[in-house]
């Protein structure tokens, strides 16, 4: 009985292999054509609005040879920039680039947000999800971005304007300065729009919520976009 099953299996396998040798296009149908995959990935990449986002996608897709997690594609499709001038983005649709890509002019900003990955491509969403979970601790504080990788442009402007308009007294500044020394990278890894958003949020939390240095550092450390 077992011997018969083995013989049938071998005959079946031989038949399939013979078919694939005679009709190699059938193998492409089974595994997918590399050319078709490249075309699909190129189409996705071309819809990403910023040069930085397109460059990030190229890294994630291993130069358009490998499918990318749709969640990463969504993050790539946000406004990825190190530029702190969000006023210019609001008025003209133009935003400066990052170390990953250059300036972009957007025809429409509806439905997209200021995003992360301005210093490099995210390849694994695990740390991102952990960060989002930790940020839920701040959900009762008005206007705290609970997903810094998708920050509304107007909300970023609010915090940047607040940062520019707000000075701390000496005691409050001491708390801020101490937070800088104990956090991993301060408000952000570079002085981009997110840096000034987080600086403004820190000032608000110190002035109105009585946050101490550790609390400010803890917030900064879970609101990274790098």
């Amino acid at each position: 009985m077992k011997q018969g099953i083995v013989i049938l299996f071998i005959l079946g396998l031989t038949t399939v292999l013979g078919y694939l040798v005679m009709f190699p296009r059938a193998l492409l149908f089974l595994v997918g054509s590399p050319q078709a995959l490249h075309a699909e990935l190129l189409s996705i990449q071309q819809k990403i609005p910023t040069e930085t986002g397109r460059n990030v996608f190229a890294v994630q897709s291993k130069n358009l040879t490998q499918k990318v997690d749709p969640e990463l594609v969504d993050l790539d499709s946000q406004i990825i920039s190190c530029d702190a001038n969000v006023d210019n983005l609001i008025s003209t649709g133009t935003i400066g680039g990052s170390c990953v890509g250059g300036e972009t002019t957007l025809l429409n900003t509806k439905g997209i947000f200021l995003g992360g990955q301005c210093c490099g491509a995210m390849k694994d969403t695990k740390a991102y999800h952990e960060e989002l979970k930790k940020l839920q601790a701040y959900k009762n504080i008005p206007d705290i971005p609970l997903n810094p990788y998708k920050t509304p442009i107007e909300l970023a402007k609010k915090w940047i304007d607040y940062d520019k308009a707000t000075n701390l007294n000496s005691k409050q500044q001491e708390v801020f300065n101490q937070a800088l020394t104990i956090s991993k990278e301060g408000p952000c890894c570079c002085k981009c729009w997110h840096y000034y958003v987080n600086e403004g949020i820190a000032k608000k939390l110190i002035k109105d919520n009585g946050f101490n240095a550790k609390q400010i550092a803890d917030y900064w450390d879970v609101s990274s976009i790098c």
Side-chain angles (χ1 to χ4, degrees), residues 41-96:
L41 295 172
L42 180 60
S43 176
I44 294 170
Q45 184 188 44
Q46 289 174 337
K47 293 175 184 175
I48 295 172
T50 66
E51 180 185 344
T52 295
R54 293 189 289 273
N55 290 344
V56 166
F57 181 81
V59 172
Q60 294 163 340
S61 64
K62 296 186 177 179
N63 201 24
L64 306 184
T65 62
Q66 179 177 297
K67 290 199 173 187
V68 178
D69 182 340
E71 187 172 23
L72 291 177
V73 177
D74 177 60
L75 294 179
D76 298 343
S77 301
Q78 307 312 315
I79 304 168
I80 304 177
S81 170
C82 288
D83 197 344
N85 185 5
V86 296
D87 287 340
N88 198 44
L89 173 61
I90 292 170
S91 62
T92 67
T94 301
I95 188 83

Side-chain angles (χ1 to χ4, degrees), residues 135 138-147 155 159 201 205 219:
L135 282 168
Y138 304 92
K139 65 182 179 181
N140 292 325
I141 300 175
D143 293 332
I144 293 284
L146 297 179
N147 184 350
L155 184 58
W159 285 117
I201 290 171
L205 294 176
Y219 171 73

Side-chain angles (χ1 to χ4, degrees), residues 175-176 178-179 182 205-206 209-218:
V175 172
F176 185 94
Q178 187 181 357
I182 61 178
L205 294 176
I206 292 169
N209 295 75
F211 270 41
N212 60 37
K214 184 179 183 307
Q215 288 174 308
I216 296 298
D218 286 345

Side-chain angles (χ1 to χ4, degrees), residues 82-153:
C82 288
D83 197 344
N85 185 5
V86 296
D87 287 340
N88 198 44
L89 173 61
I90 292 170
S91 62
T92 67
T94 301
I95 188 83
S98 72
C99 57
V100 183
E103 181 179 285
T104 299
T105 298
L106 303 164
L107 296 177
N108 193 340
T109 60
K110 184 178 179 180
I112 54 176
F113 305 87
L114 286 162
Q117 304 184 98
C118 56
C119 296
M122 183 193 298
K123 297 179 182 178
D124 185 353
T125 60
K126 181 180 178 181
Y128 168 64
H129 289 150
E130 290 174 352
E131 179 178 293
L132 296 184
K133 186 176 180 180
K134 291 175 182 176
L135 282 168
Q136 285 298 307
Y138 304 92
K139 65 182 179 181
N140 292 325
I141 300 175
D143 293 332
I144 293 284
L146 297 179
N147 184 350
Y149 282 84
K150 298 180 76 172
T151 300
I153 300 167

